[in-house]
């Protein structure tokens, strides 16, 4: 995108002085949406050979929300985005870019981000990005870079997932683990400086050689084979603990911070045991780790923004707090984002 090209009719080019100052991407608002229907482990165990005790003990999951037909990826993303905009006190017309992370878009194209753009009445541009459960962190990193470079001033970063569509409901090893939902944040260009709010660092990683331990054996847009999620749970677990531990250490080192500086860990919500391992690594007491996996299960790209939104709305996360977000997902992909709220 040309620096001088307005992203919406009323957008002014960012003055040279501000560009040199490198604006910081500030989380100005958060929002979330969960489908109305929740399915408990007990309910699931009526159709799948499993039990509440097994699921809770291995994963910490107690229930998951499952989308109704009208609760599409775009529908949920739009509701989450509306709530994030309202929390930021902003209008859709002020949005320069919509970045939507999903592995379950409604269509091969147009991008679900553009369905959201139309529903919101937003201008600018938008696109989907695919990094499975790390998608929101990847979206945050991409939008942060565009804001820091002075290309845009405001972005909606959304994670929205309808994993119930890609579950093999006969496979008890996977279908008990996931849920549907959407989370969103508004990022706005703000001033950089010590103690001021904003995203302080992002770190992204992937290793395509590990693609076969967690994948979907079909494709969006293929009516004959939309695909089901296939997972080697043990291998994913092993890599998740190692890689996520590395990535939180990396974020601390890059910012010259001791782990005691972190106020909140907002981890990807895949499994309580993985979350506990990372919290322990940071020396954080359980009450400083935002955990929604019991009620949401794993909502993939939506899990971090949904958890962030919950803790911001209930007043746990306050302005000025230092929040470390991390995720790992199919690909494998993984990464972290450190933000002062
Ligand atoms: N209910 C009852 N029994 C089950 C279920 C179930 N839902 N699922 C599997 N089992 C059985 C297996 O058949 C097996 O039985 P067997 O010993 O008679 O063969 C037994 O339980 C043990 O199976 P494992 O797969 O070895 O169980 P494990 O202890 O590894 O737990 C789990 C499985 C929970 C999936 C674990 O490996 C895990 O959490 N992995 C991480 C996966 C993950 O989080 N993926 C999310 C996507 S990636 C991400 O977001 C990080």
């Amino acid at each position: 995108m040309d620096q001088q090209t307005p992203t919406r009719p009323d957008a002014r080019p960012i003055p040279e002085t501000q560009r040199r100052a490198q604006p910081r991407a500030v989380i100005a608002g958060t929002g979330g949406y969960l489908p109305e229907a929740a399915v408990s482990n007990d309910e699931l165990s009526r159709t799948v050979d499993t039990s509440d005790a097994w699921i809770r003990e291995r994963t910490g999951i107690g229930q998951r929300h499952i989308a109704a037909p009208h609760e599409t990826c775009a529908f949920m993303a739009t509701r989450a985005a509306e709530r994030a905009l309202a929390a930021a006190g902003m209008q859709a017309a002020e949005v320069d870019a919509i970045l939507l992370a999903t592995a379950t878009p409604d269509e091969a194209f147009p991008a679900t981000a553009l369905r959201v753009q139309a529903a919101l009445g937003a201008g600018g541009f938008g696109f989907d990005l695919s990094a499975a459960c790390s998608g929101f962190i990847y979206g945050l990193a991409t939008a942060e870079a565009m804001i820091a470079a002075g290309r845009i001033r405001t972005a909606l970063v959304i994670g929205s997932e309808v994993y119930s569509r890609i579950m093999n409901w006969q496979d008890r090893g996977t279908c008990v683990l996931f849920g549907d939902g959407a989370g969103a944040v508004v990022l706005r260009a703000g001033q950089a400086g010590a103690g001021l709010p904003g995203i302080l660092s992002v770190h992204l990683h992937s290793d395509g050689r590990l693609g076969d331990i967690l994948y979907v054996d079909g494709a969006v847009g293929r009516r004959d084979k939309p695909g089901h999620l296939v997972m080697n749970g043990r291998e994913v677990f092993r890599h998740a603990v190692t890689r996520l531990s590395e990535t939180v250490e990396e974020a601390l080192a890059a910012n010259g911070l001791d782990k005691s500086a972190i106020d909140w860990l907002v981890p990807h919500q895949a499994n309580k045991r993985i979350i506990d391992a990372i919290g322990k690594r940071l020396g954080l007491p359980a009450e400083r780790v935002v955990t929604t996996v019991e009620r949401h299960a794993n909502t993939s790209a939506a899990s971090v923004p949904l958890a962030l939104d919950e803790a911001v709305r209930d007043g746990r996360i306050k302005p000025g707090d230092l929040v470390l977000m991390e995720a790992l997902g199919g690909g494998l992909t993984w990464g972290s984002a450190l933000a002062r709220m």
Side-chain angles (χ1 to χ4, degrees):
M1 189 177 63
D2 182 349
Q3 183 86 51
Q4 301 302 323
T5 304
T7 54
R8 53 177 205 275
D10 63 335
R12 292 183 308 274
I14 295 171
E16 185 67 31
T17 46
Q18 282 184 30
R19 266 190 260 153
R20 277 208 212 96
Q22 274 231 334
R24 193 180 271 177
V26 177
I27 297 177
T30 65
Y33 180 87
L34 287 162
E36 280 175 30
V39 178
S40 70
N41 293 342
D42 281 333
E43 285 171 283
L44 202 54
S45 68
R46 285 182 211 136
T47 52
V48 180
D49 182 15
T50 189
S51 67
D52 179 59
W54 192 96
I55 301 171
R56 277 186 193 275
E57 189 194 315
R58 305 284 176 124
T59 69
I61 295 167
Q63 64 163 35
R64 71 285 298 139
H65 288 258
I66 302 290
H70 74 280
E71 291 172 312
T72 61
C73 184
F75 176 93
M76 296 194 297
T78 303
R79 296 289 91 75
E82 285 168 345
R83 289 169 189 171
L85 284 168
M90 293 179 73
Q91 306 293 320
E94 296 173 74
V95 173
D96 295 321
I98 300 176
L99 280 66
L100 193 149
T102 188
T104 49
D106 293 321
E107 303 147 288
F109 68 85
T112 303
L114 305 191
R115 299 295 190 192
V116 175
Q117 180 191 35
L120 292 174
F125 64 93
F127 57 92
D128 289 355
L129 57 91
S130 168
C133 300
S134 313
F136 177 74
I137 302 288
Y138 270 62
L140 215 53
T142 308
E144 187 273 339
M146 287 194 274
I147 289 174
R151 305 290 193 210
I152 59 170
R153 286 179 180 276
T154 306
L156 262 170
V157 182
I158 309 170
S160 184
E161 300 283 19
V162 206
Y163 266 50
S164 57
R165 283 194 207 144
I166 55 165
M167 283 300 116
N168 172 358
W169 290 100
Q170 319 301 318
D171 176 12
R172 65 179 181 172
T174 53
C175 74
V176 303
L177 303 175
F178 294 89
D180 301 332
V185 301
V186 176
L187 288 186
R188 189 161 53 188
Q191 210 188 326
L196 292 178
I199 295 178
L200 306 183
S201 70
V202 285
H203 290 94
L204 303 181
H205 299 278
S206 65
D207 186 347
R209 292 169 303 177
L210 296 169
D212 289 341
I213 65 171
L214 179 55
Y215 65 100
V216 176
D217 64 354
V220 176
R222 276 192 61 177
R223 282 180 200 278
D224 59 325
K225 198 176 183 194
H228 289 133
L229 183 143
V230 181
M231 180 176 73
N232 178 335
R234 290 212 164 181
E235 277 298 291
V236 173
F237 191 95
R238 194 167 66 80
H239 285 287
V241 174
T242 312
R243 299 296 173 214
L244 290 172
S245 297
E246 286 168 5
T247 205
V248 299
E249 300 288 351
E250 177 184 42
L252 292 173
N255 290 280
L257 291 172
D258 183 78
K259 57 188 182 182
S260 60
I262 304 299
D263 294 305
W264 295 97
L265 175 66
V266 181
H268 172 48
Q269 309 285 323
N271 182 308
K272 182 82 165 54
R273 289 186 293 157
I274 300 174
I275 294 172
D276 288 347
I278 309 303
K280 212 168 152 190
R281 185 101 180 183
L282 283 168
L284 280 172
E287 59 273 19
R288 289 270 154 186
V289 180
V290 181
T291 308
T292 56
V293 69
E294 199 271 335
R295 287 166 289 115
H296 300 176
N298 183 348
T299 57
S300 190
S303 93
V304 170
L306 265 172
L308 181 70
D309 179 55
E310 190 171 285
V312 167
R313 276 175 198 271
D314 68 21
R316 274 178 290 167
I317 295 181
K318 295 187 172 55
D321 282 353
L322 204 50
V323 176
L324 181 56
M325 297 169 262
E326 46 82 342
L328 176 138
L332 287 184
T333 57
W334 65 98
S336 73
L338 181 72
R340 189 170 297 285
M341 300 299 287

